[in-house]
Amino acid sequence: MDETELTCIEGTVQAVIFQNPENGYTVLKLRSGDETVTCVGSLPGVAAGEGLRLYGAWTSHASYGQQFKAEHAERSLPEGSAAIYDYLASGAIRGVGVKLARLIVSEFGARSLEVIENAPEELSKIKGITLKKAQDMQERFRQQTGLRRLMEFLVDNGVKPIAAARLYRAYGDEAETVITENPYILADESFGMDFFAADGLARNLGFTPDCVERVCAGIVFELRHNEGNGHVFLPRDKLLAAACQLLEIDRDPAERGLQELEDTGRTVAQRVAGVDAVYMRDMFEAESETARRIGLMARTPVDDVPGLAVLVDRAERRCGITFAEKQRMAVEMAARGRVMVLTGGPGTGKTTTVRGIIGLFDEMGVETLLTAPTGRAAKRLTELTGREAQTVHRLLGAGMPEAGAQGREFEKCAADPLSCGAVILDETSMVDLKLMAALLDAMPPACRLVMVGDADQLPSVGPGNVFGDVIRSRAVPVIGLTDIFRQAQQSSIVKNAHSINRGEVPSLKNTGGDFFFLKRTTPEDVVRTVTELISQRLPRNMGIPAADIQVLSPSRKYGGGTRELNAAIQEALNPAAPDKKEKAVGNITFRVGDRVMQTRNNYDIMWVKTAAALPPDGVSAVHGEPGAGIYNGDVGYIEDMDMEAQAAYLRFEDRLVPYPFDQMTDLELAYAVTVHKSQGSEYRAVILALPKCPPGLVTRGLLYTAVTRARELLVVAGGPDVFSAMVANDRRQRRYSGLRARLCGEVEA
């Protein structure tokens, strides 16, 4: 629709009611003629006092009445003393408030903005404004107007302005020129855009399909995309074939693009275990440094601990533990080396052993930090050991990377290491390569590392297979606990998990206890049964509330997968109601009360630590310790929604988070989650949906991981044939990772 088919209104911005910096969505009051109208639309950076000519259409909102929805805007800086005062008093220029705005406009009138931009020395004539402060105001004004122009450029070209602030911080007033010269810069992960958005902009700007900028961006996209599939590198031939298919180009321009990336250092090529591997530089460095540090720790001897046997005995008494033979070996091994692996299945005494290692380190005077990759895993470790455990992200002080920087940043690193003599890392199978590299980098040189986990669980969601690679390398001492202790032997969940791990199909006859199998042969029957179990049968018959039950499924989209399950469970547990607030995001409708999961790391979203419920005045009235960061896999609840402010209020345990609607694309319903997403968590009760699913998910490791998530009760609803096929299939998906090879010295220089 062109502008001639749209209604046009113009006027002066009277007030900005709401503005979402992520996408520029704005609600404002516009003084147009003799009336004030409510306008909504993408108007990034708009401020009171600005002149607007808006093209759009009138709409009627159920709660807020008639509004003008702007599709396009022509903007002008305010003119005249009154409009300029409104603009300055609104805080459009950081550091200028109502009092200063009044002084400036009183002195310079309609020339005020011209003076701020071009003659800051004149501002210093005003009492209270030094020349330095005037120059700062000039710089901020120029940045603000430059950032606004950049946002408008992005919006006009169909690109969300979420990346504008980082782009401007990286390139200043040259940002628009940089983007025009190479729009694929937007696809850099630090700017928050994907390859396809950048590709669309590039096509609009006339870039050819085989230009070097596009080819390089496509190759980088393939490498980054496959990191999401767990791969640290790709074999050269596979990478080039994938890039040719994605970009629809011949092999020659793909070869030239890859050579350009290698010449500029963005990718690294190396022969690893007989494979011509191509890495993104940050992944190459993470793998190389992880191997170097672990190898060095394994080779570096430690001083003998005098009276070690006596110290272990004391640790036993302190913890009220009697160690089995392998447990005692593991505790002593922790004292005799700088790095070790402790692995074992459910009921084999890993937690008891960890408590013993902590006790021994206490006896030795070694300060020990406990950490785990997820909030749930860290909380569980705290409960089981009685010692505080933190997520790795919080331990290291995660923060947003600066624009143009590669990967995540942490406050703790080699230059500012952790203060400790030992780190115990639980659920190590979940830790991806970059997170392990960051943890190792933050550990003091003489620090010990104890890696704890279950080697038979699925590997990390992120790239690499750190735990498995370290164990298979045989470069690090490993203690594998295998004996099931008496108390655990009473649990059918534990016994059946070990049977599955041995490739034996356990009895699926329901004879009571904590493991039940319900035969359901169609996806529809599975979904119906699972919904009844969580909403009615288990709460009524077993006394387990729905909040303590987690539904798992192998897949997301396949029949009976988490998407279908979540829709059905939401309808049963949290249906729509006239007085219940909800927000549709894509094809998901979120409602107050829904259980949700974060699907990507967001380092800069703010939260307040509080156990109190949200007060009527909203999050601004909440008092508590502030913080930042919600991470992939965090589970919370929608506590409230503010429809005018276009934001939800989410609770992640004791953290209350104001969550802009536009960012809710990073959320999904979490009544049902995939088995992969459940790693590191333990639930009071688990319902496992096992309809027919893609062959790649019919694996023993996935079934074993699902079964071991349940603490008190496991109910499986599905086909016996699917269950048996999963037990029989011990095939593990191959990940392109060179960590084992590096630890074994199988890398060509």
Side-chain angles (χ1 to χ4, degrees):
M1 185 182 292
D2 62 39
E3 291 179 4
T4 61
E5 298 175 292
L6 297 172
T7 300
C8 175
I9 65 171
E10 59 182 307
T12 302
V13 178
Q14 192 173 57
V16 176
I17 307 302
F18 171 79
Q19 192 163 78
N20 186 335
E22 291 288 327
N23 64 353
Y25 179 83
T26 303
V27 181
L28 59 81
K29 296 291 185 181
L30 187 76
R31 186 68 180 174
S32 181
D34 294 330
E35 61 178 345
T36 300
V37 298
T38 300
C39 303
V40 300
S42 184
L43 300 164
V46 73
E50 284 192 58
L52 291 181
R53 177 178 291 159
L54 301 177
Y55 297 89
W58 292 100
T59 62
S60 181
H61 191 282
S63 301
Y64 306 115
Q66 191 178 48
Q67 298 179 339
F68 189 81
K69 185 176 182 180
E71 300 292 336
H72 177 66
E74 295 175 2
R75 299 164 59 171
S76 60
L77 284 172
E79 298 178 356
S81 298
I84 291 174
Y85 169 76
D86 288 342
Y87 176 77
L88 293 175
S90 72
I93 302 176
R94 185 164 54 87
V96 179
V98 173
K99 183 178 179 180
L100 208 53
R102 185 178 297 113
L103 290 172
I104 292 170
V105 174
S106 296
E107 179 72 24
F108 301 107
R111 294 181 54 239
S112 296
L113 295 183
E114 180 186 345
V115 170
I116 292 172
E117 183 172 17
N118 299 314
E121 65 278 1
E122 291 190 40
L123 287 174
S124 63
K125 297 175 183 177
I126 298 175
K127 186 178 180 181
I129 301 180
T130 64
L131 180 59
K132 172 72 165 57
K133 186 170 184 178
Q135 290 170 339
D136 288 344
M137 288 168 57
Q138 177 194 44
E139 180 63 22
R140 289 167 185 163
F141 178 68
R142 287 181 172 177
Q143 287 179 357
Q144 196 264 354
T145 53
L147 180 59
R148 188 182 68 175
R149 285 194 299 269
L150 179 59
M151 287 179 170
E152 289 173 341
F153 169 77
L154 294 174
V155 170
D156 288 345
N157 283 279
V159 179
K160 288 184 178 181
I162 182 174
R166 296 186 198 171
L167 283 164
Y168 194 83
R169 189 161 61 244
Y171 301 111
D173 290 335
E174 299 298 314
E176 187 175 330
T177 301
V178 169
I179 296 169
T180 303
E181 292 176 351
N182 182 9
Y184 293 101
I185 194 73
L186 286 167
D188 187 289
E189 62 180 341
S190 62
F191 295 131
M193 294 291 160
D194 64 21
F195 168 78
F196 300 103
D199 198 35
L201 175 59
R203 294 299 185 94
N204 290 341
L205 295 176
F207 283 73
T208 59
D210 62 351
C211 68
V212 68
E213 296 89 352
R214 182 170 188 262
V215 175
C216 288
I219 292 171
V220 168
F221 170 79
E222 285 293 346
L223 287 168
R224 293 298 188 201
H225 175 75
N226 278 282
E227 286 174 18
N229 295 327
H231 300 302
V232 178
F233 67 81
L234 287 181
R236 183 183 180 88
D237 286 343
K238 286 183 179 290
L239 173 60
L240 289 171
C244 289
Q245 183 176 6
L246 170 74
L247 302 172
E248 298 180 331
I249 58 172
D250 295 331
R251 178 90 172 197
D252 284 347
E255 293 269 13
R256 290 195 296 271
L258 183 55
Q259 189 61 53
E260 171 73 12
L261 289 168
E262 292 175 6
D263 290 345
T264 56
R266 293 185 67 192
T267 63
V268 177
Q270 193 170 47
R271 192 161 179 82
V272 179
V275 176
D276 290 323
V278 179
Y279 295 80
M280 290 299 299
R281 174 162 290 280
D282 60 330
M283 297 307 299
F284 172 79
E285 291 176 350
E287 187 176 272
S288 300
E289 280 302 298
T290 298
R292 185 192 68 80
R293 184 66 187 271
I294 290 177
L296 181 63
M297 293 170 72
R299 293 190 300 271
T300 303
V302 299
D303 295 335
D304 289 337
V305 180
L308 178 58
V310 174
L311 294 178
V312 174
D313 290 340
R314 286 181 187 169
E316 267 189 323
R317 290 193 297 272
R318 173 185 284 197
C319 300
I321 297 169
T322 301
F323 296 131
E325 181 182 359
K326 282 191 174 181
Q327 289 178 315
R328 190 176 186 91
M329 288 172 58
V331 174
E332 292 179 352
M333 184 182 289
R336 291 190 172 123
R338 296 208 185 280
V339 60
M340 65 167 288
V341 167
L342 174 66
T343 184
T348 57
K350 289 197 303 295
T351 300
T352 298
T353 309
V354 168
R355 289 174 56 209
I357 292 172
I358 296 170
L360 175 61
F361 284 162
D362 287 346
E363 293 290 340
M364 293 168 57
V366 175
E367 184 178 354
T368 307
L369 295 177
L370 274 59
T371 188
T374 68
R376 282 179 174 267
K379 183 179 179 182
R380 179 166 166 261
L381 184 58
T382 298
E383 292 169 349
L384 293 173
T385 63
R387 298 282 284 267
E388 181 187 3
Q390 300 180 71
T391 64
V392 180
H393 287 91
R394 292 213 179 124
L395 183 71
L396 301 182
M400 273 302 284
E402 289 295 315
Q406 289 296 319
R408 59 173 74 92
E409 286 188 344
F410 297 95
E411 293 176 10
K412 293 298 179 181
C413 57
D416 181 19
L418 297 165
S419 178
C420 62
V423 171
I424 297 178
L425 174 62
D426 198 15
E427 297 288 355
T428 309
S429 63
M430 292 184 63
V431 177
D432 65 38
L433 179 64
K434 292 186 75 174
L435 192 59
M436 178 59 80
L439 177 61
L440 290 167
D441 185 52
M443 288 169 47
C447 188
R448 289 175 163 87
L449 175 64
V450 179
M451 291 179 276
V452 184
D454 187 340
D456 295 309
Q457 286 188 26
L458 295 170
S460 59
V461 175
N465 186 11
V466 173
F467 200 50
D469 284 353
V470 169
I471 292 172
R472 285 193 295 275
S473 74
R474 299 185 179 180
V476 171
V478 177
I479 291 289
L481 304 177
T482 54
D483 295 335
I484 305 174
F485 286 86
R486 185 179 304 168
Q487 184 177 357
Q489 290 175 356
Q490 309 306 311
S491 167
S492 296
I493 294 173
V494 171
K495 289 189 292 186
N496 289 346
H498 285 275
S499 295
I500 291 166
N501 212 21
R502 294 192 298 268
E504 302 167 1
V505 179
S507 172
L508 301 182
K509 294 180 180 179
N510 297 319
T511 57
D514 55 11
F515 185 105
F516 295 88
F517 188 92
L518 304 179
K519 181 179 178 181
R520 301 292 185 269
T521 56
T522 68
E524 295 78 14
D525 285 343
V526 169
V527 172
R528 183 168 51 253
T529 298
V530 168
T531 304
E532 290 173 354
L533 285 165
I534 191 172
S535 64
Q536 301 174 39
R537 292 166 61 177
L538 295 187
R540 183 180 62 228
N541 299 333
M542 306 289 287
I544 303 176
D548 289 350
I549 303 169
Q550 183 61 61
V551 175
L552 304 180
S553 178
S555 69
R556 287 170 51 85
K557 301 178 183 179
Y558 215 72
T562 58
R563 284 189 180 181
E564 193 175 344
L565 286 162
N566 272 314
I569 297 169
Q570 183 194 45
E571 184 60 31
L573 294 180
N574 194 26
D579 60 344
K580 188 176 293 182
K581 298 172 187 174
E582 61 179 41
K583 173 65 178 177
V585 180
N587 54 11
I588 301 176
T589 297
F590 294 100
R591 300 189 184 111
V592 171
D594 276 335
R595 186 192 303 177
V596 294
M597 175 181 282
Q598 178 78 7
T599 60
R600 75 173 184 90
N601 291 338
N602 186 335
Y603 297 96
D604 58 352
I605 194 165
M606 302 300 296
W607 46 260
V608 177
K609 193 169 186 179
T610 174
L614 185 68
D617 294 340
V619 75
S620 61
V622 173
H623 300 287
E625 177 189 344
I630 299 295
Y631 305 113
N632 187 6
D634 284 355
V635 174
Y637 290 86
I638 300 176
E639 194 161 293
D640 198 3
M641 292 184 180
D642 186 329
M643 309 311 289
E644 185 168 356
Q646 296 283 292
Y649 297 106
L650 271 60
R651 179 171 293 282
F652 292 89
E653 295 183 350
D654 60 350
R655 292 164 291 156
L656 191 62
V657 186
Y659 211 103
F661 281 164
D662 186 62
Q663 292 187 36
M664 291 180 77
T665 53
D666 293 339
L667 298 174
E668 59 186 25
L669 293 174
Y671 300 105
V673 301
T674 62
V675 176
H676 281 86
K677 286 285 190 180
S678 74
Q679 287 176 262
S681 297
E682 185 181 72
Y683 311 99
R684 181 181 175 188
V686 167
I687 303 171
L688 174 59
L690 277 189
K692 289 184 178 179
C693 54
L697 297 175
V698 182
T699 67
R700 184 186 302 172
L702 189 143
L703 179 60
Y704 174 79
T705 300
V707 169
T708 53
R709 299 309 90 205
R711 184 172 68 248
E712 294 182 17
L713 178 68
L714 174 68
V715 182
V716 183
D721 54 335
V722 177
F723 192 98
S724 298
M726 295 179 85
V727 175
N729 182 12
D730 196 27
R731 178 180 58 84
R732 296 175 183 261
Q733 180 186 11
R734 181 183 179 187
R735 291 189 167 194
Y736 292 113
S737 164
L739 181 58
R740 183 207 62 79
R742 291 183 191 281
L743 289 168
C744 295
E746 299 175 7
V747 177
E748 296 179 21

